Amino acid sequence: MTLASSHRSVLQALLAGAALLFSSSAPAQAQETPPEAAPPMEEKEKSKPWYENIRLRGYTQVRYNRLPSFRTNDSLINDQGDRFLGRDTGFGIRRARLVIFGDVHPHVSIYLQPDFASVIGDQYNVAVMRDWYADIFVDAKKEFRFRVGQSKVPFGFENLQSSQNRLALDRNDAINSALKDERDVGVFFYWAPAHIRERFKFLVDSGLKGSGDYGVVGLGVYNGQTANRAERNNSPHAVARVSYPFLFGSQYVEVGTGAYYGRFNLSASPRDDAAYALARGPNLVDARAIVSLMVYPQPLGFQAEYNIGRGPSLGSTPDDALLIDSRNLQGGYAQLMYKLDGVVGVSLIPYVRGTLYKGGKKFETNAPRYDVRELELGAEWQIWKALELTAAYVIADRTSSRYPYVQEQGHVTRLQLQFNY
């Protein structure tokens, strides 16, 4: 045997041994226990603590109402709308909201909203609860739900529209006189198909000034004394609302109607020269019906509402001017707007709104009877998503909310800066 053939035999033997070694070790590796598989994503989500699903958002509005106007009247006030009207006023924080919300269970979500700019007496910037409720979803698609706690009462469109989205600086007297702060404690049932819930969301997120998701159908019972006030007559109010958004060509339109009924308890406060008294006891009929129309600005838009009913009020004639009774009321508003996108900043929306109202305000002392005729011209400029500037000029003829409830006329020029977060 030659040296070369000897080397070749040794090399072949080494290769055969290596092959045998790898082949014998492979099964042993295959028999090793594989690492534990990661839990499915769905199980991870289920195991997340509820507080990891909670989110924060909010907005703040800063106003100045003392700019020059053609007809200044320091006695022109609106305690229900803007406490910074009248003499000796300057800069003010109209709203300072922080919203805490999220799903704490596949069938339960929470919504908590305090306002840090409320007014109690002569104390400004007081923290007051606005919303504190849970939505309890009956089905997996979340089309049926119950809302339990303090929340907005489903009556009208502008009452439900967030002040963060609304064009006019204050809600109109005609509809807002139904519900001070728009809220009360109660139980409400809402239903809307999944695709309509998505549409409600789109109408807000897109900047088209939607009112939010309060269902196609809303039903409920609530105390009836308005937000942050105790029930006083053990007789809840009942409310019903139907509202539906649809496409008319390429334009979104929403039509709605609704009504509520209950009894409101109030107390008369006699004056030295005015013996205000209740005509037939404190529990007075409080009932209204409303129709609403919203043509979303694409780019031209139109919004209008009108309500009629009966509610606590002083009389309007010398014979019954000192008696508080349940009396007829009526009124509404109409608003025209035009949305310009990408012209300067995100959007610019000029608008004009007219308001008429004849009726009482049940939550004010002695339920004074109002006669309101108001015209507001303004424009909202959304500079960035986080910053908006609104300018408005108001021509008003309204009843004062303070004794002796006289009629006042005047003009007001206002500015509001809103920052969203």
Side-chain angles (χ1 to χ4, degrees):
M1 180 181 295
T2 66
L3 183 60
S5 61
S6 174
H7 287 172
R8 195 163 41 248
S9 298
V10 173
L11 182 59
Q12 289 173 348
L14 289 173
L15 291 172
L20 180 62
L21 177 63
F22 282 110
S23 63
S24 63
S25 64
Q29 289 179 349
Q31 291 171 5
E32 290 179 1
T33 304
E36 186 176 348
M41 185 63 68
E42 185 177 337
E43 291 183 14
K44 280 187 175 181
E45 290 296 328
K46 288 182 180 178
S47 64
K48 282 178 61 175
W50 65 268
Y51 50 81
E52 291 188 9
N53 296 320
I54 298 301
R55 293 181 286 170
L56 297 175
R57 64 176 177 83
Y59 66 100
T60 300
Q61 296 172 343
V62 180
R63 287 189 186 175
Y64 187 70
N65 296 337
R66 302 293 297 178
L67 293 172
S69 61
F70 290 108
R71 186 180 179 183
T72 301
N73 179 0
D74 286 338
S75 296
L76 184 70
I77 58 172
N78 181 6
D79 284 343
Q80 180 188 353
D82 188 347
R83 292 295 184 96
F84 301 104
L85 292 175
R87 64 171 55 90
D88 299 328
T89 57
F91 291 101
I93 299 176
R94 178 66 176 91
R95 291 177 177 86
R97 304 288 176 88
L98 182 65
V99 181
I100 305 165
F101 67 105
D103 297 331
V104 297
H105 182 274
H107 288 276
V108 181
S109 67
I110 62 169
Y111 190 96
L112 320 176
Q113 180 179 212
D115 181 18
F116 297 92
S118 295
V119 179
I120 298 179
D122 60 355
Q123 179 67 52
Y124 282 61
N125 301 326
V126 178
V128 171
M129 183 177 73
R130 293 301 177 195
D131 297 284
W132 207 275
Y133 64 81
D135 275 342
I136 303 168
F137 298 96
V138 177
D139 61 318
K141 294 176 68 176
K142 298 187 175 182
E143 295 182 341
F144 299 84
R145 72 189 190 274
F146 289 92
R147 180 165 290 179
V148 183
Q150 179 161 295
S151 67
K152 288 184 177 179
V153 176
F155 182 77
F157 181 91
E158 192 180 77
N159 265 17
L160 299 177
Q161 189 180 37
S162 170
S163 300
Q164 186 177 18
N165 298 327
R166 192 181 62 249
L167 281 174
L169 293 187
D170 295 309
R171 289 184 173 88
N172 71 95
D173 295 80
I175 312 302
N176 200 230
S177 55
L179 290 145
K180 183 178 183 294
D181 297 321
E182 307 84 52
R183 296 163 171 87
D184 209 332
V185 179
V187 179
F188 305 97
F189 168 79
Y190 295 111
W191 168 79
H195 71 284
I196 298 298
R197 295 199 68 203
E198 286 296 320
R199 187 172 296 173
F200 282 132
K201 185 176 185 301
F202 166 77
L203 292 171
V204 172
D205 294 346
S206 61
L208 292 178
K209 306 299 179 183
S211 65
D213 181 4
Y214 291 86
V216 171
V217 175
L219 305 169
V221 290
Y222 59 100
N223 280 342
Q225 294 295 131
T226 70
N228 300 315
R229 295 188 179 189
E231 170 68 318
R232 296 181 60 183
N233 55 15
N234 200 30
S235 175
H237 279 50
V239 64
R241 177 179 184 258
V242 177
S243 190
Y244 190 78
F246 59 93
L247 268 173
F248 185 76
S250 60
Q251 188 125 16
Y252 280 105
V253 177
E254 185 171 346
V255 293
T257 186
Y260 72 77
Y261 179 87
R263 288 185 174 271
F264 190 86
N265 185 293
L266 77 162
S267 300
S269 179
R271 305 275 182 170
D272 291 339
D273 57 343
Y276 294 113
L278 294 162
R280 61 188 76 205
N283 291 320
L284 301 176
V285 170
D286 178 28
R288 299 193 186 199
I290 189 171
V291 290
S292 306
L293 171 66
M294 177 65 166
V295 180
Y296 288 94
Q298 296 174 285
L300 182 65
F302 178 74
Q303 180 178 333
E305 296 186 88
Y306 198 84
N307 72 165
I308 58 172
R310 293 181 65 85
S313 171
L314 287 172
S316 57
T317 66
D319 292 337
D320 59 7
L322 302 180
L323 288 178
I324 305 168
D325 202 351
S326 184
R327 306 182 188 279
N328 291 336
L329 59 86
Q330 60 178 327
Y333 71 94
Q335 176 176 289
L336 193 65
M337 50 202 155
Y338 196 88
K339 189 171 187 286
L340 300 166
D341 291 326
V343 177
V344 182
V346 177
S347 65
L348 179 66
I349 311 179
Y351 68 92
V352 56
R353 183 182 75 169
T355 298
L356 296 173
Y357 178 57
K358 289 189 177 183
K361 289 198 177 180
K362 58 191 177 188
F363 40 79
E364 293 182 0
T365 302
N366 296 321
R369 186 170 184 83
Y370 274 67
D371 184 355
V372 177
R373 286 159 284 176
E374 194 168 83
L375 180 67
E376 179 172 336
L377 303 95
E380 177 193 276
W381 176 27
Q382 190 173 68
I383 306 168
W384 305 296
K385 288 291 186 181
L387 193 67
E388 300 175 16
L389 180 65
T390 301
Y393 191 83
V394 180
I395 304 169
D397 182 347
R398 62 165 48 244
T399 307
S400 173
S401 55
R402 299 174 191 173
Y403 178 81
Y405 316 124
V406 299
Q407 202 72 11
E408 300 286 355
Q409 296 84 32
H411 301 181
V412 181
T413 306
R414 302 192 283 173
L415 279 178
Q416 174 178 282
L417 187 69
Q418 174 176 301
F419 36 101
N420 309 308
Y421 38 90

